[in-house]
Amino acid sequence: MKTFADLIHEVQEPGLCHQCGGCVAFCSAINYGALELGADGRPRYSNLEKCIECGICYSICPVIHELDEDTKELVSWSAPIGHILGNVVARATNPQVRAQATDGGVITALLLHLFDRGHIEAAIVSKTTGPFQRRPWLALSREDIVAAAGFHFDTLPSIKHFSDVYTTFSPSIAGLGDVARKPLKRVAFVGTPCQINVLRRMEVLGVVPSDAIKFHVGLFCAGNFQFGPEERQRLEQMGNFSWTEVHKVNLKEELLIHLNNGEIRAIPLNQLNFMKRHACQFCDDYAAEFADISCGGIGAPEGWTTVIIRSPLGRAVLANARGVDIELYSYRENPTLMSQAMAKVLEWSEKKKRSAAEYHQQLEKKAV
Ligand SMILES: Cc1cc2nc3c(=O)[nH]c(=O)nc-3n(C[C@H](O)[C@H](O)[C@H](O)COP(=O)(O)OP(=O)(O)OC[C@H]3O[C@@H](n4cnc5c(N)ncnc54)[C@H](O)[C@@H]3O)c2cc1C
Ligand code: SF4
Ligand code: SF4
Ligand code: SF4
């Protein structure tokens, strides 16, 4: 039986660990308690003696291919980028949500819609806790959900008392620990494609606490970027701006730095490899292919979100929220917008898959 010791050897040592936190979430939720997430976001043994060698952490790891076929079957995955029932460009009807959101606030609006009707008791989201830092957060109220909207980075120079980990990534799966402890039964999860993937693997095996996750919202993801002091300084030079002037950062086809005076500095993603997390180079899922709905800003006008509907549940939630908490883009203004947005998602998905395959080939050559 392979265990976490094999994950160290096969996943962590070659630098392939996504830090999705799935291995730790399962081991903690079932109270084996052998693993923990370190301060650097990496999983590690907290107490080796407690490991009963169940092998689940190994099987559910998205870097390990043991459950690939079962996971694809679970979500009716099909090539090239997963199951698709349709796509829309939409935004929240509530201007307060839109003002705080990354793009159109669709995710926050859908979570609120489900929460207000009692379909979910909570949502695992991610909240800003300091400059360039976010933490997983179990939102238990409307206010909690709204507070977690957006992809904001507090750039106030006065806030300095945080650890050295400055990153766009948030180990949201760690929020599953709270779900198991409460315990909650109807929870929505918002996360990156790798996080949705590990959740689905848990579902394939029917292990806790994935049974409580009823709605999976995936974020498009070109990669996870480090925003440490050196990286920030380099970005300032590349984009000719100062962080004190920044009010919002967003990732679409480029890194978009929104300044207080309304200007936007755009830095192409292919110039950001110096700050991209190593493991992300090997990741081939851009469009959150295992989610109920996947969202991103790519292909949508400023202030709107591109949404891919992937499951009947995703379709039902969006249909119910339409006209209440969500409004669709008026296609009369641009009849080809939906197909253009989809083409963009396909283009970036293919690019990511190609690049991941090249990195894997290089790694195999090195190993030989
Ligand atoms: C690391 C990362 C990379 C991304 N890369 C791309 C990209 O390359 N192209 C693209 O088009 N879109 C990308 N996105 C998605 C985009 O930034 C928006 O989140 C998406 O368009 C939804 O916008 P919204 O206004 O509808 O969501 P909102 O209503 O603003 O809600 C956003 C939700 O995401 C949660 N969240 C924010 N940050 C994180 C995080 N780090 N981890 C987990 N959950 C988080 C918030 O808690 C909130 O619930 C990325 C997002 C992240 C977090
Ligand atoms: S108890 Fe199971 S899940 Fe926990 S570390 Fe050991 S093998 Fe992995
Ligand atoms: S499950 Fe996630 S965090 Fe754990 S080893 Fe695999 S990739 Fe890393
Ligand atoms: S690119 Fe995104 S989905 Fe892939 S491992 Fe990195 S953070 Fe996870």
Side-chain angles (χ1 to χ4, degrees):
M1 177 70 69
K2 290 202 172 186
T3 70
F4 187 71
D6 298 281
L7 286 182
I8 294 178
H9 180 56
E10 295 175 33
V11 177
Q12 291 198 329
E13 284 171 4
L16 298 175
C17 175
H18 296 167
Q19 297 175 24
C20 68
C23 49
V24 180
F26 168 73
C27 192
S28 318
I30 200 135
N31 274 334
Y32 294 155
L35 303 180
E36 66 181 6
L37 275 185
D40 58 0
R42 289 171 214 274
R44 63 185 183 198
Y45 278 118
S46 56
N47 190 343
L48 183 58
E49 300 295 308
K50 287 191 174 174
C51 175
I52 62 153
E53 302 194 357
C54 69
I56 306 266
C57 57
Y58 183 86
S59 301
I60 59 175
C61 173
V63 182
I64 300 298
H65 299 295
E66 217 173 83
L67 295 178
D68 279 6
E69 289 315 311
D70 297 301
T71 313
K72 285 179 176 173
E73 204 179 311
L74 180 78
V75 298
S76 310
W77 188 95
S78 59
I81 62 162
H83 196 50
I84 297 178
L85 295 175
N87 76 295
V88 295
V89 172
R91 68 178 184 184
T93 48
N94 183 335
Q96 190 208 340
V97 170
R98 289 208 301 267
Q100 185 152 342
T102 325
D103 291 307
V106 168
I107 297 180
T108 304
L110 289 180
L111 296 180
L112 289 174
H113 188 83
L114 291 171
F115 186 82
D116 289 345
R117 284 152 190 79
H119 297 313
I120 57 170
E121 306 155 282
I124 298 177
V125 288
S126 162
K127 194 182 169 192
T128 300
T129 51
F132 298 91
Q133 291 176 319
R134 296 187 74 97
R135 290 280 178 276
W137 203 38
L138 185 65
L140 290 160
S141 66
R142 289 195 107 246
E143 293 70 31
D144 285 356
I145 293 172
V146 175
F151 188 9
H152 298 284
F153 293 106
D154 196 334
T155 53
L156 288 179
S158 57
I159 306 175
K160 287 185 180 136
H161 311 290
F162 292 91
S163 76
D164 292 335
V165 187
Y166 302 98
T167 168
T168 50
F169 194 71
S170 165
S172 299
I173 291 279
L176 285 175
D178 290 337
V179 169
R181 276 186 289 276
K182 293 267 179 216
L184 298 162
K185 292 280 170 234
R186 299 185 311 279
V187 179
F189 179 88
V190 182
T192 50
C194 56
Q195 295 169 339
I196 301 286
N197 192 313
V198 74
L199 264 180
R200 292 301 196 184
R201 283 165 201 261
M202 289 184 196
E203 282 170 42
V204 163
L205 295 182
V207 296
V208 292
S210 63
D211 54 331
I213 305 300
K214 302 298 184 206
F215 191 51
H216 308 71
V217 184
L219 303 164
F220 297 169
C221 186
N224 166 43
F225 297 95
Q226 312 291 337
F227 279 81
E230 276 173 34
E231 288 87 358
R232 274 183 273 167
Q233 203 177 10
R234 198 157 155 190
L235 284 175
E236 277 180 327
Q237 287 159 2
M238 290 166 81
N240 188 25
F241 66 92
S242 156
W243 284 106
T244 51
E245 318 168 84
V246 175
H247 87 96
K248 176 169 142 176
V249 177
N250 198 356
L251 271 172
K252 289 195 185 185
E253 287 186 86
E254 294 152 318
L255 178 71
L256 301 169
I257 320 268
H258 294 248
L259 305 184
N260 292 327
N261 65 5
E263 287 180 24
I264 300 175
R265 299 283 194 270
I267 304 179
L269 294 189
N270 62 10
Q271 291 179 20
L272 298 184
N273 279 348
F274 71 96
M275 55 191 285
K276 193 169 181 176
R277 195 177 56 184
H278 177 71
C280 296
Q281 313 278 18
F282 299 88
C283 169
D284 66 359
D285 186 351
Y286 178 84
E289 296 172 12
F290 294 83
D292 287 307
I293 63 159
S294 313
C295 299
I298 198 170
E302 185 58 36
W304 295 80
T305 308
T306 296
V307 184
I308 300 182
I309 303 147
R310 296 190 173 278
S311 70
L313 176 64
R315 182 168 53 192
V317 171
L318 206 77
N320 284 338
R322 188 179 164 181
V324 187
D325 290 298
I326 295 285
E327 63 179 297
L328 300 193
Y329 189 84
S330 161
Y331 300 111
R332 251 173 284 155
E333 283 175 35
N334 183 351
T336 57
L337 183 70
M338 270 203 303
S339 52
Q340 282 169 1
M342 203 57 219
K344 282 274 175 224
V345 178
L346 265 170
E347 180 194 329
W348 277 83
S349 296
E350 279 163 11
K351 224 189 272 186
K352 194 170 177 187
K353 286 183 195 301
R354 232 184 357 255
S355 166
E358 282 166 15
Y359 272 95
H360 275 289
Q361 270 172 10
Q362 284 172 20
L363 191 72
E364 277 157 29
K365 266 192 207 153
K366 251 195 215 166
V368 169

